[in-house]
Amino acid sequence: HVQLVESGGGSVQAGGSLRLACAASGRTSGINAFGWFRQAPGKEREVVAATWANGDRTHYHDSVKGRFTIWLDNQKDTLYLQMNSVKFEDTAMYYCAAAWDKDISSLDDANQYNYWGQGTQVTVS
């Protein structure tokens, strides 16, 4: 129903910036929420930032508040994550997720998203 393709990952020095993008295709009109999640080796997947598709509300992990910004370009069906002042602990595989044709109660619950991209690696040195 929906395909998600991330881009923009790479290596960046601490204190630098990076912008991730997630291009959505298919039946995107059915997407109710988008999220960026990350998983570092040996750690559980955690939400980085998430947003309702209508932009009513966003959610950020405490560790990225004030540094990262999530937004959705509806015309391009593309989700973005601007990462500023990155830290070593931001190193992880970053995944884009979408909740399609389902109501979700919690933006930060990975189990409530039913479509996922393949991920893009972010390495901070």
Side-chain angles (χ1 to χ4, degrees):
H1 300 110
V2 172
Q3 295 79 43
L4 304 172
V5 179
E6 303 98 333
S7 62
S11 297
V12 60
Q13 291 188 340
S17 297
L18 208 59
R19 179 178 292 183
L20 306 184
C22 172
S25 60
R27 299 174 63 183
T28 58
S29 61
I31 296 175
N32 294 321
F34 284 96
W36 284 103
F37 292 79
R38 67 187 179 188
Q39 187 166 19
K43 295 187 177 181
E44 293 186 355
R45 187 171 296 190
E46 63 181 10
V47 67
V48 178
T51 181
W52 294 111
N54 61 13
D56 273 358
R57 189 170 70 86
T58 56
H59 171 86
Y60 291 92
H61 192 279
D62 284 346
S63 67
V64 307
K65 286 180 180 177
R67 301 189 298 121
F68 292 8
T69 304
I70 186 174
W71 77 97
L72 177 64
D73 185 331
N74 282 303
Q75 290 187 340
K76 296 181 180 179
D77 281 339
T78 301
L79 180 74
Y80 294 96
L81 182 71
Q82 179 66 39
M83 305 168 62
N84 296 330
S85 302
V86 296
K87 302 177 180 180
F88 177 76
E89 50 264 39
D90 293 323
T91 295
M93 184 71 79
Y94 283 69
Y95 298 91
C96 173
W100 184 86
D101 195 26
K102 63 181 298 188
D103 294 325
I104 66 172
S105 58
S106 178
L107 284 173
D108 62 346
D109 183 357
N111 293 320
Q112 299 198 35
Y113 293 81
N114 51 356
Y115 285 91
W116 292 81
Q118 293 299 306
T120 185
Q121 177 69 36
V122 172
T123 302
V124 182
S125 59

